[in-house]
Amino acid sequence: QSWPRSSRDSRAFLRTLALATETQVRQRNWHRFGGLFAMLGIPEDAMVRFAERVPAMISRPFSLLHTDLHRDNVIVSYEAGPPLICVDWELATYGDPLHDLATHLVRMRYPEGQWDEAVEAWRSAMMVRRPKAVNGLERDLRHYVAFERAQSVYPDVMRAATSLGESFDQRDLEAATEAVYWA
């Protein structure tokens, strides 16, 4: 996959994310987990099909993205200085800011009733600092949320399967299943 030619092409960016998941996650791990994914009904070409189906999206200016912003990667400072410090930047990239919002919403596992509040807080902050980042928010956020949920199936299932080790019982299997369900 190639990087979007324009630093405002949200559709190309989301397609690039899906195809990167295909090559960097699914293909690299298929030899070990492909049978499990097949048993779970996850098609071998799921990310390619996702990329092909990304609809036209509103243009937003790209920016630096954390792409793993959740409670374990934020330090709250009660002293002088910045009130929040973000850590674990290993997945950082440059792209559509809605991707960071979607990742945050999904990984934080907000109750559905708090999603609107989190989205509005993000919108308010962006309107002050980068107003064009909110272009098409209502229309396009759902596509990034769908991607985040779809791509996370791979690491969530692999993590749960690996946690079982060589020997496990029904209780271990149920705990792994629940971990994937709630991830």
Side-chain angles (χ1 to χ4, degrees), residues 164 168-178:
L164 291 173
F168 55 89
D169 59 20
Q170 185 63 32
R171 189 179 68 199
D172 296 330
L173 186 57
E174 289 171 4
T177 302
E178 188 169 324

Side-chain angles (χ1 to χ4, degrees), residues 24-161:
Q24 297 173 16
V25 180
R26 205 267 321 154
Q27 287 179 9
R28 286 186 185 170
N29 294 285
W30 196 259
H31 68 281
R32 183 169 177 202
F33 297 101
L36 177 56
F37 290 134
M39 287 179 58
L40 293 172
I42 301 167
E44 191 169 339
D45 64 345
M47 285 290 104
V48 172
R49 289 183 0 204
F50 184 96
E52 291 169 349
R53 293 181 179 150
V54 173
M57 297 172 73
I58 301 297
S59 177
R60 280 172 292 282
F62 288 8
S63 61
L64 176 65
L65 307 179
H66 186 281
T67 74
D68 194 21
L69 198 56
H70 54 81
R71 65 181 52 86
D72 292 336
N73 287 340
V74 176
I75 299 170
V76 177
S77 174
Y78 296 104
E79 303 296 323
L84 296 175
I85 300 165
C86 300
V87 298
D88 189 7
W89 285 85
E90 74 179 86
L91 299 176
T93 192
Y94 181 74
D96 187 338
L98 282 190
H99 174 54
D100 241 1
L101 175 59
T103 302
H104 175 73
L105 290 169
V106 171
R107 294 188 185 172
M108 285 294 291
R109 295 185 231 144
Y110 288 113
E112 195 168 320
Q114 290 182 353
W115 275 54
D116 288 344
E117 183 180 341
V119 169
E120 286 309 311
W122 183 88
R123 180 197 313 267
S124 294
M126 286 296 132
M127 288 302 292
V128 171
R129 289 177 177 77
R130 195 130 199 234
K132 292 183 179 181
V134 304
N135 290 350
L137 171 66
E138 294 80 12
R139 185 178 127 184
D140 292 344
L141 179 61
R142 63 190 167 109
H143 304 301
Y144 282 105
V145 168
F147 166 74
E148 183 58 30
R149 288 180 172 153
Q151 72 79 27
S152 69
V153 167
Y154 297 108
D156 294 345
V157 168
M158 292 185 296
R159 193 176 305 112

